[in-house]
Amino acid sequence: SGLKLPDSVGGGLYLNSLTSAEGLKLPEKVGGNLNLNSLTSAKGLKLPKSVGGSLDLEGLTSAEGLTLPEEVQGVISLTSLKTGTGLDKIPVHLKPKLRLPSGW
């Protein structure tokens, strides 16, 4: 609550202990990795338009309401998803960079 982040971060942004994205305003651009691996829900999550490294969303169990960035240079980790519902909004150029649960 009350966390203020800049409009742009030149390096990585590690919010790996964050359990809720409600009220969080992330920068429009993150130059390195963005780690949000403790989030289990995308509710209230508005991701940056650009991530210069990897995007770690390993804790998300649902992709409902998730809109991925327009550009991610690294891997997008979504390894805890229970279903693919909500993944219909993935830009085509990102598909090869997705890390999904094994067996999918």
Side-chain angles (χ1 to χ4, degrees):
S1 176
L3 177 65
K4 300 228 187 267
L5 296 169
D7 291 335
S8 180
V9 173
L13 182 57
Y14 298 88
L15 301 172
N16 48 313
S17 295
L18 191 71
T19 57
S20 172
E22 292 203 47
L24 177 67
K25 183 175 182 330
L26 290 169
E28 286 290 310
K29 180 178 181 181
V30 175
N33 296 334
L34 177 55
N35 187 318
L36 298 166
N37 67 344
S38 292
L39 291 181
T40 56
S41 168
K43 184 176 181 183
L45 180 61
K46 184 176 184 302
L47 292 168
K49 290 184 179 181
S50 174
V51 177
S54 292
L55 175 58
D56 186 347
L57 297 169
E58 289 184 3
L60 284 187
T61 56
S62 169
E64 288 191 58
L66 179 65
T67 301
L68 291 171
E70 295 171 10
E71 177 184 14
V72 176
Q73 294 296 318
V75 174
I76 300 171
S77 294
L78 295 165
T79 56
S80 295
L81 290 182
K82 305 295 182 207
T83 73
T85 303
L87 288 179
D88 53 336
K89 298 175 187 169
I90 297 174
V92 174
H93 64 280
L94 295 180
K95 287 184 181 181
K97 298 180 183 181
L98 282 178
R99 184 175 296 144
L100 297 168
S102 61
W104 274 35

